[in-house]
Amino acid sequence: MVVLRAKCIIVGDCTVGKSALTQVFHSDGSHYPKAYSMTVGVELCVKNISIPDSNDAVELYMYDSTGKEMFSDYVQQFWDGPSVVMVILDVTNEKSFSSCAKWLERVRAKAGQAIQGVLVANKMDLDGRRCVTKEAAQEFANGRGLEYFECSAKEQEGVDAPFHYMANAFYKLYQERVEVMKTLT
Ligand code: GDP
Ligand code: MG
């Protein structure tokens, strides 16, 4: 049995639902933060994710940072050496979508261009107010090598999928490296 540690940094504009999504996933749905409280600095959540068809697991260290202070040196020191990245947008907020390119560039500048990750469109429960289309978001994700997901932290729909995807992608990369090591020895 192997337990891998993966560091996941969670980025996106203020109020897209970074903290809500992280906390719903972390608590298996028992904790959707009702009152809006702005995250101060960085919050760390850890969750163990079993890898299907194996005895192995990935321990996902999720770093949820605040939109406003995200560019401060204080917050960016937590960005060192991430394994995967989650970029979040709010489907009712066009600006949060256009910011995704900037967030991703910042992360990749630090972490390397090859870092794997997901683009998550949150608040899909607010269908009537939606202004970011699935097609546009999906196309952006594909163009940047990100896997695309839609979810609602509030309705607890589709929350697990992007986190599980990241854990599995990280695990697969690890296995590939192990295979390469074997051919070398
Ligand atoms: P953060 O600044 O990115 O961490 O965003 P928060 O997690 O603090 O959420 C900002 C606001 O959006 C809060 O009032 C949340 O209750 C709300 N929110 C988060 N996710 C959803 C969702 O899926 N649907 C709806 N309708 N509201 C959401
Ligand atoms: Mg937050």
Side-chain angles (χ1 to χ4, degrees), residues 15 17-20 23 36-40 43 64-67:
T15 75
K18 296 182 296 297
S19 300
Q23 288 177 36
Y36 173 65
S37 66
M38 188 156 93
T39 318
V40 178
E43 246 171 280
D64 167 24
S65 27
T66 137

Side-chain angles (χ1 to χ4, degrees), residues 2 13 15-16 29 36 46 50 58 66 73 76 89 96 100 102 113 117 119-120 127-128 138 141 146 157 161 169 181:
V2 181
D13 278 1
T15 75
V16 294
Y36 173 65
V46 185
S50 304
V58 169
T66 137
D73 291 342
Q76 290 213 354
L89 64 90
S96 75
C100 289
K102 172 191 75 180
Q113 295 301 314
L119 177 70
V120 178
D127 209 31
Q138 173 104 57
L146 300 175
E157 274 177 36
M181 293 302 282

Side-chain angles (χ1 to χ4, degrees), residues 9-151:
I9 50 178
I10 297 171
V11 297
D13 278 1
C14 243
T15 75
V16 294
K18 296 182 296 297
S19 300
L21 205 61
T22 308
Q23 288 177 36
V24 167
F25 175 66
H26 182 240
S27 65
D28 293 316
S30 64
H31 188 63
Y32 173 73
K34 297 256 159 28
Y36 173 65
S37 66
M38 188 156 93
T39 318
V40 178
V42 175
E43 246 171 280
L44 174 62
C45 286
V46 185
K47 188 160 173 174
N48 211 60
I49 300 173
S50 304
I51 301 298
D53 307 317
S54 79
N55 293 319
D56 304 336
V58 169
E59 221 172 19
L60 201 59
Y61 284 68
M62 298 166 275
Y63 288 74
D64 167 24
S65 27
T66 137
K68 267 193 194 141
E69 294 167 25
M70 218 118 136
F71 293 141
S72 72
D73 291 342
Y74 172 71
V75 168
Q76 290 213 354
Q77 70 184 342
F78 294 97
W79 286 23
D80 272 344
S83 323
V84 287
V85 58
M86 175 180 273
V87 186
I88 307 184
L89 64 90
D90 167 354
V91 296
T92 69
N93 180 341
E94 182 62 44
K95 192 184 155 284
S96 75
F97 179 36
S98 50
S99 294
C100 289
K102 172 191 75 180
W103 289 120
L104 192 61
E105 269 160 36
R106 290 274 177 153
V107 173
R108 286 193 162 151
K110 250 185 123 72
Q113 295 301 314
I115 187 171
Q116 304 184 83
V118 295
L119 177 70
V120 178
N122 188 35
K123 307 198 188 181
M124 68 172 191
D125 56 286
L126 300 175
D127 209 31
R129 284 167 48 194
R130 182 165 186 154
C131 58
V132 179
T133 67
K134 181 175 182 178
E135 291 68 34
Q138 173 104 57
E139 193 186 318
F140 172 83
N142 291 349
R144 307 289 172 125
L146 300 175
E147 195 73 15
Y148 178 64
F149 293 89
E150 299 206 333
C151 73

